[in-house]
Amino acid sequence: GQNIDQPTEMTATEGAIVQINCTYQTSGFNGLFWYQQHAGEAPTFLSYNVLDGLEEKGRFSSFLSRSKGYSYLLLKELQMKDSASYLCAVRDSNYQLIWGAGTKLIIKP
Amino acid sequence: DAGITQSPRHKVTETGTPVTLRCHQTENHRYMYWYRQDPGHGLRLIHYSYGVKDTDKGEVSDGYSVSRSKTEDFLLTLESATSSQTSVYFCAISEREDSSYEQYFGPGTRLTVT
């Protein structure tokens, strides 16, 4: 079967750095996406990785290792507005997105 | 923001009644998707469309049907609603399904079946 694993919840302090991990086992791989979802709102796109390595976009970076079936999202200089759920999704061999259950990130002052 | 709306935004209905949710886009994107989101689960694909009158089933399609008669509209119908279909339903659109083309999501419909 297909499976995406992420921690259910993480807590971090304002101004700090946090790393959210995602491991996957899917039928095929055609890219990995990270989305942010604030409570009661729609998911919004953060990043895309298809090749191994790090993609940096401002305070957010995303890393991929295809051989290990592993990705992480790194958030720097955390702000209170970063409190949200972070969703990892893999595009499989049928080009469908398989979603993890999401990681709820709680930021404390 | 991508032009994508959903209606209604909230609905309470009784078990056994039919329910139709509407997704409307102004982006002229080819691909449209219906997902449901439940606590402890990732987004789960119900049905998707790859063009007018072209639809296919997703992971959790039982009890749901869809129609797409125009590029801009994708309807999801619960033929006889059950309490297990209480969920938040998201519509998404995408220009293409390959490469880095991401999916854009509508605001969601919160459906409660009593």
Side-chain angles (χ1 to χ4, degrees), chain B residues 26-63:
Chain B
T26 58
E27 304 297 320
N28 201 36
H29 283 355
R30 177 181 176 187
Y31 295 89
M32 299 186 76
Y33 308 83
W34 277 108
Y35 290 95
R36 59 179 290 173
Q37 187 175 42
D38 304 289
H41 292 273
L43 288 159
R44 291 182 289 177
L45 182 65
I46 305 171
H47 282 279
Y48 67 99
S49 170
Y50 45 96
V52 173
K53 299 193 189 309
D54 291 323
T55 65
D56 206 347
K57 296 179 179 180
E59 175 191 2
V60 290
S61 60
D62 287 350

Side-chain angles (χ1 to χ4, degrees), chain B residues 45-114:
Chain B
L45 182 65
I46 305 171
H47 282 279
Y48 67 99
S49 170
Y50 45 96
V52 173
K53 299 193 189 309
D54 291 323
T55 65
D56 206 347
K57 296 179 179 180
E59 175 191 2
V60 290
S61 60
D62 287 350
Y64 302 94
S65 62
V66 289
S67 66
R68 191 169 179 200
S69 58
K70 297 185 290 185
T71 299
E72 57 267 36
D73 289 325
F74 192 32
L75 304 180
L76 176 71
T77 297
L78 287 65
E79 321 216 333
S80 177
T82 67
S83 58
S84 65
Q85 294 176 311
T86 292
S87 187
V88 179
Y89 291 85
F90 285 102
C91 176
I93 63 174
S94 181
E95 190 172 355
R96 289 170 56 169
E97 63 173 9
D98 61 342
S99 189
S100 63
Y101 288 87
E102 70 265 33
Q103 294 182 9
Y104 299 93
F105 285 82
T109 294
R110 184 172 294 276
L111 177 68
T112 302
V113 184
T114 61

Side-chain angles (χ1 to χ4, degrees), chain A residues 15-61:
Chain A
I17 299 173
V18 71
Q19 177 175 312
I20 302 174
N21 296 326
C22 170
T23 58
Y24 63 89
Q25 290 179 307
T26 56
S27 57
F29 179 84
N30 285 297
L32 185 144
F33 295 80
W34 284 97
Y35 280 74
Q36 181 189 59
Q37 185 178 25
H38 286 101
E41 298 183 7
T44 55
F45 170 76
L46 284 178
S47 68
Y48 171 78
N49 295 72
V50 68
L51 299 176
D52 290 351
L54 189 68
E55 295 282 342
E56 297 187 77
K57 193 185 289 187
R59 294 189 299 114
F60 292 6
S61 302

Side-chain angles (χ1 to χ4, degrees), chain A residues 11-15 80 83 106-109:
Chain A
T11 302
T13 304
E14 190 176 17
M80 297 304 293
S83 292
I106 300 168
I107 310 295
K108 295 188 174 180

Side-chain angles (χ1 to χ4, degrees), chain A residues 87-103:
Chain A
L87 315 181
C88 174
V90 171
R91 181 170 273 151
D92 70 7
S93 57
N94 294 319
Y95 293 94
Q96 299 306 320
L97 289 182
I98 308 302
W99 296 83
T103 299

